[in-house]
Amino acid sequence: MERKKILLIEDEVKLARFVELELKYEGYDVTTCHDGRVGMEMITNQEFDMILLDLMLPGLTGIEICRRVRKFSQVPIIMLTAKDEVMDKVAGLDSGADDYLTKPFAIEELLARMRVAFKHSEGSNIAKKTILQVQNLEIDTEKRMVTVDGKVVDLTKKEYELLTYLVQNKNIVLTREQILNEVWGYSYIGETNVVDVYIRYLRAKIDEAFGKKYILTIRGVGYYVKEE
């Protein structure tokens, strides 16, 4: 089996070396760099199966790299950062990252997050064309396109994944923990308010924009999408 190619962009040299050695021991083919612009150039000119990306980098920030990459690639991206605020996490995920890991972290947790990201990526690559529908909202999973009354709704990667999960489970109340496990791939302990933030984003772009309630709240439990 061909080894998966990982690009690690991290300016803390000792941490980068540690992660590189651990990943190589696990059988990954790892390329490391310590500068944002250099990393972006490598992404543009080479093929990688995953990018591990520090948030604060010289040259280009991790957020900016992520935004640029998402214009031409859906390669899995996991952000590594010392920032632990919810809005920092939201900013990273909103720019297109698949996951977010706060330093210091155990290598076992990083490996687990990588496995989840690979699983999600491989699952989306083999997904058959499906049209999901609730009321007059449609999701074309092949094109990853959302329309309401035939008008395209521009969503970020995480907004799209959250909405798709809700619509796939329409009429079922989903807890914040269920949503985190499915959409983010793991449990945030005490960080479930990131779900509320994304629900607000979706409501602004869909419910409020089109004057109709799609996403409903069950207080103290979670959220659901209701079929008329």
Side-chain angles (χ1 to χ4, degrees):
M1 185 176 176
E2 188 175 351
R3 298 201 302 171
K4 291 189 180 294
K5 295 182 179 179
I6 312 295
L7 175 61
L8 171 62
I9 310 177
E10 167 61 65
D11 66 338
E12 292 183 43
V13 177
K14 288 184 179 179
L15 175 60
R17 183 59 177 162
F18 168 73
V19 173
E20 178 184 345
L21 291 173
E22 291 291 332
L23 294 183
K24 285 182 175 178
Y25 179 77
E26 294 294 327
Y28 292 106
D29 183 353
V30 185
T31 301
T32 302
C33 77
H34 310 295
D35 180 89
R37 290 194 182 280
V38 174
M40 189 67 227
E41 188 174 332
M42 295 173 78
I43 296 167
T44 305
N45 296 320
Q46 300 178 48
E47 290 282 337
F48 294 100
D49 297 301
M50 177 175 288
I51 300 169
L52 303 179
L53 180 61
D54 187 20
L55 184 66
M56 304 302 292
L57 288 165
L60 278 179
T61 67
I63 296 287
E64 183 58 30
I65 291 173
C66 201
R67 286 181 180 143
R68 294 188 186 190
V69 171
R70 284 294 175 249
K71 291 180 180 179
F72 63 87
S73 172
Q74 290 301 314
V75 61
I77 297 175
I78 297 178
M79 284 196 163
L80 310 175
T81 176
K83 291 195 171 186
D84 194 28
E85 295 296 322
V86 170
M87 293 313 298
D88 290 318
K89 294 181 179 182
V90 169
L93 296 170
D94 218 26
S95 66
D98 295 88
D99 204 346
Y100 193 113
L101 193 56
T102 304
K103 304 173 188 174
F105 53 83
I107 196 67
E108 292 80 10
E109 184 176 8
L110 173 59
L111 291 168
R113 303 282 183 93
M114 290 172 66
R115 287 192 292 270
V116 169
F118 277 131
K119 182 179 178 182
H120 280 194
S121 176
E122 289 160 4
S124 64
N125 288 338
I126 63 175
K128 295 179 180 178
K129 181 177 180 179
T130 304
I131 300 294
L132 303 175
Q133 187 169 4
V134 59
Q135 301 180 47
N136 54 343
L137 180 151
E138 287 191 356
I139 303 174
D140 185 328
T141 60
E142 184 179 51
K143 296 179 181 177
R144 294 180 68 86
M145 183 171 70
V146 176
T147 57
V148 177
D149 291 330
K151 297 178 181 178
V152 176
V153 181
D154 184 23
L155 299 180
T156 66
K157 186 173 185 289
K158 281 299 172 191
E159 288 168 356
Y160 170 84
E161 290 174 357
L162 172 56
L163 180 64
T164 299
Y165 181 53
L166 290 170
V167 174
Q168 284 173 331
N169 295 276
K170 59 187 176 184
N171 299 320
I172 299 172
V173 179
L174 301 168
T175 67
R176 291 170 178 81
E177 289 75 15
Q178 286 175 305
I179 294 170
L180 281 169
N181 284 330
E182 182 62 29
V183 178
W184 278 265
Y186 59 93
S187 292
Y188 276 63
I189 298 176
E191 298 283 1
T192 55
N193 50 345
V194 74
V195 173
D196 302 323
V197 171
Y198 272 82
I199 290 291
R200 288 199 297 271
Y201 289 168
L202 283 179
R203 281 176 168 160
K205 291 183 177 182
I206 296 174
D207 294 42
E208 296 167 18
F210 292 92
K212 195 167 185 178
K213 278 197 171 185
Y214 291 94
I215 304 170
L216 304 179
T217 303
I218 300 296
R219 288 192 179 277
V221 182
Y223 301 100
Y224 74 108
V225 167
K226 185 177 181 180
E227 179 70 277
E228 284 187 330

